């Protein structure tokens, strides 16, 4: 019973995902469906309904209309989140033993797909912001250096993955990056889980969507950056570099044969809302509201960091010697719940529901917080991981993932091979992946990270026996 009570507990200001704000921004069509007799919508893949991989039926027709409206050739609705569709997309791009170029801030689901498909992750480092402990997206020159370094990698590289935007809403111009990768003959998969709203083009200041930038496969999380229910997502395909049959075969392997009709309806309604003038106007209102909130907070002296997605608000707590994790606990006690606490920052997801008096609430709670939370005399110091610009794990990641392993204290791990993905709170962004050899610099760096994440990072590390 405790779980059911928690589902209906008032949590104050909900500035976390899903972005529909606990139902406040759900599409009207979905609200009407949920108001009907309980369970009436819980249907199997009946002939007239079909399914995401069935060529006929209402779902197939809905997917065709969505693809047409948003300028893609194909689209597939997903009920296993962006995770399932990212994995299916990647497995359609490369064969066992081949390499896939990817940034170090990929979601763990991409690496799990590498383990499943026996693919070789070719990891490239990213610019690092030492004042906050965040990576920054690569620009054209950075990627050029990465591609020039690939001559040192003795692998057939078959595809590339990009992340756009980051969890905190940082983004660069994707067009030249996609062009460079295409010039190398690499099809491009973009994890745009946090940037589905970019595709609407309702605001010229928003970053360009990966679909408009020419990526071959793009995954959107419809609960992270649209008004869908949790677990809803969509995969888009365009161009002639990827075989849609291969994509469908991969989806078939990784997605349930009994997809929830309610989640499929949520996929359709959240996308259809943005095809209407009313839906676009509501989205534009939320973006304008978010920009006004940011302006008011900055004028009030709050340490708001610049990013490219106005719907993500980052408070830079480290600048005052306050851990974002401690600030998060205090804010929650006051009824303001953020999405992403980190040692140096606290990120709020403003979502798609309107907010009243939020600027006043932020200013009041911030002033109280800095008198209640421990302020460190020694300011936070964030250092980038000591890794090469481009590298591959020394050992096969797929084998290291399933190899016999043991836990040892981090300081004793020098010279050993990681058997795990080490991921603190930014959900699924790994600091270490299986198969990577841990030299002394890397071990010292991990030991430096552990006190910054006292409850998220263990003092021990699982290594291959």
């Amino acid at each position: 019973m405790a779980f059911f009570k928690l589902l209906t507990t008032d949590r104050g200001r909900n500035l976390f995902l899903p972005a529909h704000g606990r139902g406040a921004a759900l599409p009207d069509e979905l609200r009407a469906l949920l108001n009907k007799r309980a369970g009436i919508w819980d249907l199997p893949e009946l002939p007239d309904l079909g399914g995401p991989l069935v060529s006929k039926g209402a779902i197939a027709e809905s997917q065709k209309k969505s693809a047409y409206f948003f300028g893609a050739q194909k689209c597939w609705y997903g009920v296993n989140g962006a995770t399932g569709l990212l994995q299916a997309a990647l497995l359609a791009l490369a064969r066992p033993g081949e390499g896939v170029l990817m940034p170090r801030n990929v979601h763990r689901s991409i690496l799990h797909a590498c383990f499943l498909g026996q693919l070789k992750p070719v990891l490239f480092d990213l610019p690092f912001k030492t004042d906050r402990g965040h990576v920054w997206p690569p620009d054209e020159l950075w990627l050029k250096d990465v591609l020039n370094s690939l001559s040192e990698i003795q692998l057939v590289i078959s595809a590339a993955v990009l992340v756009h935007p980051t969890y905190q809403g940082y983004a660069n111009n994707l067009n030249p990056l996609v062009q460079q990768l295409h010039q190398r003959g690499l099809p491009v998969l973009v994890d745009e889980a946090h940037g589905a709203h970019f595709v609407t083009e309702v605001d010229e200041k928003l970053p360009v969507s990966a679909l408009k930038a020419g990526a071959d496969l793009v995954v959107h999380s419809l609960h992270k950056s649209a008004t869908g229910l949790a677990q809803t997502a969509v995969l888009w395909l365009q161009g002639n570099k990827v075989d849609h049959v291969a994509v469908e075969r991969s989806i078939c392997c990784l997605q349930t044969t009994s997809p929830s009709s309610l989640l499929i309806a949520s996929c359709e309604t959240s996308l259809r809302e943005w095809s209407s003038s009313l839906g676009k106007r509501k989205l534009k209102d939320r973006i304008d509201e978010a920009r006004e909130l940011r302006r008011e907070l900055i004028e009030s002296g709050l340490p708001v960091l610049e990013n490219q997605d106005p719907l993500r608000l980052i408070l830079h707590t480290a600048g005052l010697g306050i851990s974002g994790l401690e600030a998060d606990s205090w804010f929650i006690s006051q009824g303001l719940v953020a999405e992403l606490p980190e040692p140096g920052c606290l990120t709020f997801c403003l979502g798609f529901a309107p907010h009243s008096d939020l600027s006043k609430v932020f200013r009041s709670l911030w002033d109280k917080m800095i008198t209640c939370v421990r302020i460190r005399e020694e300011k936070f110091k964030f250092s980038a991981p000591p890794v090469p610009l481009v590298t591959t794990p020394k050992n096969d990641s797929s084998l290291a993932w399933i190899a016999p392993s043991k836990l040892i204290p981090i300081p004793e791990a020098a010279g050993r091979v990681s058997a795990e993905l080490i991921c603190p709170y930014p959900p699924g962004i790994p600091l270490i992946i299986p198969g990577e050899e841990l030299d002394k610099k890397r071990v010292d760096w991990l030991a430096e990270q552990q006190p910054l994440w006292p409850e998220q990072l263990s003092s021990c590390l699982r290594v291959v026996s």
Side-chain angles (χ1 to χ4, degrees):
M1 290 297 292
F3 171 69
F4 290 96
K5 286 183 179 179
L6 287 173
L7 288 180
T8 56
T9 299
D10 180 12
R11 298 186 181 275
R13 296 278 183 161
N14 305 306
L15 302 182
F16 53 83
L17 300 175
H20 58 65
R22 300 202 76 185
L26 285 174
D28 291 340
E29 289 179 298
L30 190 65
R31 286 173 174 277
L33 178 62
L34 292 171
N35 283 330
K36 293 184 181 294
R37 189 177 78 241
I40 192 173
W41 35 259
D42 203 11
L43 295 170
E45 289 185 310
L46 298 172
D48 58 338
L49 293 179
L53 296 176
V54 179
S55 61
K56 295 182 180 179
I59 294 174
E61 186 62 27
S62 175
Q63 291 180 154
K64 288 178 183 177
K65 288 181 179 178
S66 292
Y68 175 79
F69 183 83
F70 290 102
Q73 289 170 243
K74 298 277 291 184
C75 100
W76 297 271
Y77 298 153
V79 298
N80 189 29
T83 288
L85 293 180
L86 282 169
Q87 291 175 335
L90 186 61
L91 292 178
L93 291 177
R95 297 178 180 180
E98 294 178 343
V100 179
L101 182 66
M102 60 185 70
R104 279 201 170 265
N105 68 331
V106 289
H107 190 267
R108 67 186 305 161
S109 58
I110 290 287
L111 294 160
H112 287 156
C114 290
F115 306 156
L116 288 172
Q118 297 182 328
L119 309 179
K120 310 291 186 182
V122 180
L123 301 160
F124 66 88
D125 199 18
L126 294 166
F128 189 83
K129 298 287 187 180
T130 58
D131 65 330
R132 67 201 71 174
H134 290 165
V135 296
W136 196 261
D139 60 15
E140 185 176 2
L141 292 177
W142 188 277
L143 184 61
K144 182 178 180 180
D145 287 342
V146 168
L147 294 175
N148 288 338
S149 299
L150 293 183
S151 58
E152 304 170 12
I153 304 297
Q154 302 301 310
L155 273 178
V156 174
I157 299 177
S158 300
V161 177
L162 296 173
V163 177
H164 174 79
T166 69
Y167 207 127
Q168 299 86 1
Y170 303 130
N172 269 335
N173 183 9
L174 267 192
N175 296 69
L177 307 187
V178 173
Q179 290 173 14
Q180 284 187 72
L181 293 166
H182 280 170
Q183 288 168 4
R184 292 281 184 131
L186 299 176
V188 180
L189 164 63
V190 177
D191 176 358
E192 201 168 66
H194 296 277
H197 51 304
F198 296 170
V199 78
T200 62
E201 298 183 302
V202 298
D203 188 293
E204 61 181 12
K205 294 180 182 178
L206 285 178
V208 173
S209 168
L211 265 179
K212 306 301 180 181
D216 305 283
L217 293 168
V218 180
V219 173
H220 286 151
S221 170
L222 299 179
H223 89 264
K224 290 186 176 82
S225 50
T227 55
L229 295 172
Q231 291 186 224
T232 58
V234 63
L235 169 61
W236 310 95
L237 176 148
Q238 61 184 356
N240 57 10
K241 291 182 172 59
V242 181
D243 181 2
H244 78 273
V245 174
V247 175
E248 290 186 340
R249 287 166 67 91
S250 292
I251 295 174
C252 187
C253 290
L254 294 171
Q255 187 151 275
T256 176
T257 56
S258 303
S260 163
S261 50
L262 176 63
L263 295 183
I264 295 292
S266 178
C267 291
E268 179 184 72
T269 56
S270 61
L271 290 171
R272 186 156 62 203
E273 183 175 48
W274 283 349
S275 68
S276 70
S277 56
L278 176 60
K280 288 184 176 181
R281 187 164 66 250
K282 286 164 63 177
L283 174 57
K284 185 65 167 64
D285 287 345
R286 298 290 76 75
I287 291 170
D288 291 343
E289 180 184 88
R291 289 205 176 104
E292 178 62 16
L293 171 64
R294 179 186 302 267
R295 184 191 66 77
E296 291 176 358
L297 294 182
I298 291 173
E299 288 183 355
S300 298
L302 272 70
V304 178
L305 291 175
E306 180 181 357
N307 62 0
Q308 286 66 51
D309 181 3
L311 297 180
R312 295 296 166 92
L313 184 77
I314 313 170
L315 290 183
H316 187 208
T317 61
L320 294 179
I322 297 173
S323 165
L325 304 172
E326 294 176 16
D328 183 52
S329 295
W330 190 88
F331 276 124
I332 288 175
S333 73
Q334 303 299 309
L336 185 63
V337 188
E339 168 61 22
L340 175 61
E342 299 173 273
C345 296
L346 192 54
T347 300
F348 298 85
C349 174
L350 300 179
F352 302 100
H355 300 286
S356 60
D357 299 324
L358 194 53
S359 176
K360 181 180 178 181
V361 171
F362 262 112
R363 292 195 301 265
S364 174
L365 291 181
W366 177 262
D367 290 341
K368 291 179 183 178
M369 189 269 294
I370 59 179
T371 66
C372 297
V373 175
R374 179 172 64 99
I375 296 178
R376 303 189 182 202
E377 293 182 7
E378 183 178 344
K379 299 302 182 184
F380 282 83
K381 179 182 178 182
F382 301 104
S383 57
V387 294
L389 179 62
V390 180
T391 188
T392 57
K394 180 181 180 180
N395 289 24
D396 186 288
S397 291
S398 304
L399 297 178
W401 179 248
I402 61 174
S405 62
K406 63 179 181 179
L407 276 174
I408 63 173
I410 287 176
E412 298 176 16
R416 307 301 292 267
V417 172
S418 174
E420 67 176 326
L421 289 162
I422 300 181
C423 301
Y425 182 74
I429 310 298
L431 303 180
I432 295 284
I433 77 167
E436 288 196 277
E437 185 175 27
L438 301 162
D439 60 18
K440 187 177 185 306
K441 287 184 178 180
R442 198 81 179 276
V443 168
D444 289 346
W445 179 80
L446 280 174
E448 181 185 292
Q449 301 307 302
Q450 199 276 328
L452 295 175
W453 302 89
E455 296 182 13
Q456 291 80 12
L457 278 182
S458 169
S459 59
C460 294
L461 170 68
R462 187 167 294 280
V463 298
V464 174
S465 297

